[in-house]
Amino acid sequence: MSDAISTIIFEHPLNEKMRSWLRIESSLQQLEKQRHLDSQASSLAFFRTIAELIEILERGEVRSELLKELDRQQAKLKQWLGAPNADTAMIHRLSTQLKERSIALSQAPRMSRLIKEDRIISMVRQRLSIPGGCCSFDLPTLHLWLHLPQSTRDKSVSTWLDSLRPLKHALESILELIRHSATFTVKSSHNGFYQGNADDADLLRLKLDIVPDTLVYPQISGYKTRYAIRFLPMDSEQGVVPAHLSFELACC
């Protein structure tokens, strides 16, 4: 994030499948940012994120849902081949990529097995629910591990994250295609409210200008075919929402 940003994109899932995928994507992105474990603070942030990811992966049939979506996206690409002025080279490239990532995901071990069964991760996970439960006297093994050479810790982290690569690559391909399946169109809210139909979309993407004098954010509710958007001021006491607020929306 930067002060130079003039617009921001908010995303809202329209089904449980997409909700899970966005949470997995967020966790994987955080793990990449947190992978340099050079202190107890940075290490605990990493372990909290990986514990949350394990919980998400254990809840549902993530692999089977992703494999179904990879097949669905491949079928959609084949349909595009018959469209006028279709970029056949790009379609073939994307189709090949989806097929390769589908094979890699289907052949990979259970996605959370390696990280769930790792001794260090398992010990830390057991203590994370206890307030302040990861002190050196609670986890002497972790305390020792954190004093090993940085290269040793880097190797462990690489092993953990490498086990998640098939998941990461499959999810990246799917979400990229879904996000680019619809274009942004200009909409306007009335007294801070807007509603519409999503036509079996998976994801709402809302692009909003950042106006320092009028900082507002969307509160989105929706499921399957219908959604509603209410814009609220960041300053709940003195902030105001314009009577007519222009924004861009894509139903993907």
Side-chain angles (χ1 to χ4, degrees):
M1 291 181 287
S2 166
D3 293 340
I5 295 176
S6 59
T7 62
I8 185 170
I9 294 177
F10 295 88
E11 294 186 331
H12 183 81
L14 293 172
N15 50 56
E16 289 304 315
K17 171 185 69 178
M18 181 57 67
R19 188 183 305 275
S20 175
W21 291 351
L22 292 179
R23 286 174 173 163
I24 293 170
E25 179 192 45
S26 176
S27 294
L28 291 172
Q29 290 173 346
Q30 290 178 62
L31 289 174
E32 287 292 341
K33 295 284 187 180
Q34 299 165 342
R35 65 181 299 155
H36 187 67
L37 309 187
D38 58 356
S39 67
Q40 184 187 38
S42 64
S43 299
L44 289 180
F46 177 90
F47 287 122
R48 283 193 179 93
T49 303
I50 210 164
E52 291 170 359
L53 178 60
I54 291 171
E55 291 298 323
I56 297 170
L57 294 177
E58 292 290 302
R59 285 177 191 167
E61 298 296 324
V62 176
R63 187 209 300 266
S64 61
E65 291 288 350
L66 289 173
L67 289 172
K68 288 177 185 177
E69 186 64 26
L70 287 167
D71 289 341
R72 189 172 78 92
Q73 292 295 338
Q74 288 185 68
K76 288 176 65 176
L77 287 174
K78 288 180 180 178
Q79 294 176 355
W80 276 84
L81 283 172
N85 303 317
D87 188 338
T88 56
M90 177 179 289
I91 292 173
H92 283 304
R93 179 179 61 80
L94 289 172
S95 183
T96 299
Q97 182 189 77
L98 291 178
K99 185 176 181 179
E100 291 173 348
R101 295 189 169 182
S102 179
I103 292 172
L105 182 63
S106 64
Q107 294 179 346
R110 189 161 59 92
M111 286 179 291
S112 61
R113 189 180 72 185
L114 188 146
I115 55 176
K116 184 179 179 181
E117 295 177 356
D118 183 87
R119 184 164 174 260
I120 294 290
I121 294 175
S122 179
M123 285 191 299
V124 177
R125 279 185 71 204
Q126 293 173 16
R127 306 293 304 181
L128 286 173
S129 61
I130 303 172
C134 294
C135 292
S136 61
F137 59 84
D138 293 302
L139 290 169
T141 305
L142 176 64
H143 189 59
L144 170 61
W145 187 76
L146 290 174
H147 284 80
L148 296 179
Q150 183 68 48
S151 59
T152 301
R153 295 195 298 279
D154 289 344
K155 184 178 179 181
S156 295
V157 172
S158 293
T159 299
W160 299 334
L161 296 187
D162 285 347
S163 73
L164 298 169
R165 293 293 176 218
L167 166 66
K168 182 175 183 290
H169 290 160
L171 191 58
E172 284 176 346
S173 292
I174 288 170
L175 292 180
E176 182 179 10
L177 288 170
I178 290 176
R179 285 175 172 133
H180 287 86
S181 66
T183 57
F184 284 100
T185 57
V186 177
K187 307 289 183 180
S188 180
S189 67
H190 179 67
N191 291 328
F193 184 76
Y194 182 88
Q195 64 179 348
N197 296 319
D199 297 327
D200 295 323
D202 292 307
L203 179 69
L204 282 183
R205 307 188 77 214
L206 188 152
K207 187 184 294 185
L208 187 66
D209 289 337
I210 298 176
V211 182
D213 295 335
T214 313
L215 290 176
V216 298
Y217 63 91
Q219 187 178 74
I220 305 173
S221 60
Y223 189 70
K224 293 185 177 179
T225 60
R226 292 191 60 79
Y227 62 89
I229 303 170
R230 185 171 297 280
F231 291 93
L232 301 172
M234 189 170 181
D235 185 341
S236 59
E237 294 183 357
Q238 300 182 15
V240 296
V241 178
H244 297 284
L245 179 66
S246 179
F247 62 97
E248 294 182 55
L249 188 69
C251 297
C252 307

